[in-house]
């Protein structure tokens, strides 16, 4: 029996993985035409639950360090911009405006911002203050991060991580492992904060981000000036959170091109 189980296990695992895999279209193309299908091995609900738990832990840690939302004016400014952006997410997926979006400001000198699965996000004061960001540039930053959530890039990366190992959900389904939820939470955290996004993911977030900004009435060309500031402050190289972007020149051209494409949306929103 033991020998038979050992012989059958690889086949069972392969069958389970095949069933678990699904090709999805997370977003509509929008005006910028992001159309790539994505292969997922874990449900959106699982990743969002893990992200929500991780987010609460991060906020609790920030509170302990007195680093959470210390400047009410900055928090209000960021949340106002984010609220205008999230209303426009319906251009890419109908369910997104009803997500439980949340934005906070963390007191840190690091040039960083992020948005977890399901719409939990934060921006560091260092990014706003050191780069003296305008509202349009904050919209470029947060639009880019929101785009990652809309495209479910974390879920996609977690799925790739699962495919290279046995897979968290597969192991849990077969063996009833009690630590599955904790392991998934750890994987989500690693993918979100430690591993860089793929260049493909970053380009998609750039393009969707400029459209979100334009639809919300923020100048999409600010994405170009934002990158200039980033490059200047980082000695010509992007900070870690943008480390997988294309070269400066290529990115400038791509952002300028897509900002021009969505200018009619911006002009319409301004009217």
């Amino acid at each position: 029996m033991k020998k038979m189980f050992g012989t059958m296990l690889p086949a069972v695992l392969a069958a389970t993985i095949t069933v678990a895999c699904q090709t999805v279209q997370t977003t509509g193309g929008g005006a910028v035409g992001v159309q790539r299908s994505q292969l997922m091995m874990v449900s959106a609900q699982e990743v969002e639950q893990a992200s929500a738990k991780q987010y609460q832990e991060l906020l609790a840690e920030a509170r302990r360090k007195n680093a959470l939302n210390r400047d009410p004016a900055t928090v209000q400014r960021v949340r106002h911009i984010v609220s205008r952006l999230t209303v426009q997410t319906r251009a890419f997926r109908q369910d997104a405006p009803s997500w439980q979006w949340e934005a906070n400001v963390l007191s840190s000198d690091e040039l960083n911002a992020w948005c977890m699965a399901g719409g939990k996000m934060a921006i560091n004061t260092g990014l706003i203050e050191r780069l003296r960001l305008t509202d349009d540039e904050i919209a470029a930053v947060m639009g880019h991060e929101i785009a990652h959530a809309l495209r479910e890039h974390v879920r996609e990366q977690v799925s790739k991580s699962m495919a290279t190992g046995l897979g968290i959900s597969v192991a849990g389904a077969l063996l009833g492992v009690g630590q599955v939820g904790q392991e998934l939470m750890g994987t989500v955290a690693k993918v979100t904060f430690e591993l860089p996004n793929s260049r493909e993911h970053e380009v998609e977030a750039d393009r969707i981000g400029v459209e979100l900004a334009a639809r919300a009435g923020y100048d999409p060309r600010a994405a170009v000036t934002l990158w200039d500031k980033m490059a200047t402050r980082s000695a010509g190289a992007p900070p870690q959170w943008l480390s997988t972007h294309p070269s400066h020149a290529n990115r400038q051209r791509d952002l300028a091109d897509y900002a021009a494409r969505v200018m009619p949306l911006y002009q319409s929103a301004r009217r």
Side-chain angles (χ1 to χ4, degrees):
M1 177 68 75
K2 184 175 180 181
K3 184 176 180 181
M4 180 183 294
F5 181 77
T7 303
M8 292 175 59
L9 183 57
V12 173
L13 282 171
T16 307
I17 290 172
T18 300
V19 171
C21 287
Q22 56 176 320
T23 301
V24 301
Q25 197 74 36
T26 54
T27 62
V32 293
V34 174
Q35 299 281 7
R36 182 179 62 90
S37 296
Q38 298 157 277
L39 188 65
M40 304 296 193
M41 289 182 63
V42 61
S43 73
Q45 183 180 16
E46 287 175 295
V47 174
E48 287 172 16
Q49 288 176 346
S51 294
K53 291 178 182 178
Q54 187 69 34
Y55 189 69
Q56 291 307 315
E57 289 189 4
L58 289 166
L59 294 188
E61 182 180 359
R63 286 190 193 95
R64 287 193 296 270
K65 295 179 178 179
N66 192 30
L68 179 65
N69 299 334
R70 293 174 59 186
D71 181 355
T74 301
V75 175
Q76 183 178 11
R77 181 187 180 199
V78 168
R79 287 179 174 171
H80 175 70
I81 293 168
V82 166
S83 68
R84 286 173 57 176
L85 292 169
T86 55
V87 168
Q88 301 305 324
T89 58
R90 63 177 177 270
F92 293 94
R93 48 189 300 169
Q94 291 297 311
D95 64 323
S98 62
W99 288 3
Q100 298 300 306
W101 296 97
E102 185 174 349
N104 287 284
V105 178
L106 304 179
S107 297
S108 170
D109 287 337
E110 184 182 358
L111 302 180
N112 201 13
W114 41 268
C115 182
M116 302 183 78
K120 307 299 185 184
M121 69 191 87
I123 184 171
N124 288 355
T125 54
L127 189 60
I128 298 171
E129 295 169 2
R130 289 173 58 192
L131 301 188
R132 298 182 181 179
L133 297 187
T134 65
D135 284 3
D136 291 323
E137 289 166 342
I138 292 176
V141 171
M142 302 313 285
H144 175 99
E145 297 305 321
I146 288 168
H148 280 307
L150 294 178
R151 289 290 291 162
E152 299 186 43
H153 285 154
V154 167
R155 180 185 172 199
E156 187 175 13
Q157 282 191 285
V158 168
S159 297
K160 288 180 180 178
S161 296
M162 290 170 59
T164 57
L166 276 181
I168 296 168
S169 291
V170 172
L174 290 177
L175 307 176
V177 180
Q179 286 294 102
V180 171
Q182 194 66 32
E183 289 175 16
L184 178 57
M185 188 173 161
T187 304
V188 166
K190 187 176 182 66
V191 165
T192 304
F193 301 112
E194 297 178 29
L195 301 180
N197 284 300
S198 71
R199 186 165 295 182
E200 186 173 47
H201 288 179
E202 293 294 336
V203 170
E204 289 179 351
D206 271 351
R207 294 176 181 179
I208 290 175
V210 295
E211 180 169 343
L212 287 173
R215 289 181 178 276
Y218 294 104
D219 192 337
R221 295 168 295 188
V224 179
T225 63
L226 169 68
W227 177 253
D228 282 337
K229 289 182 178 182
M230 287 285 193
T232 299
R233 286 302 182 106
S234 306
Q240 185 177 0
W241 73 294
L242 290 176
S243 61
T244 53
H245 272 298
S247 69
H248 179 63
N250 288 343
R251 185 162 186 267
Q252 288 281 63
R253 284 194 295 269
D254 195 69
L255 282 171
D257 178 18
Y258 279 83
R261 295 188 192 193
V262 298
M263 279 301 289
L265 296 174
Y266 168 61
Q267 291 161 351
S268 177
R270 294 296 292 174
R271 286 197 295 268

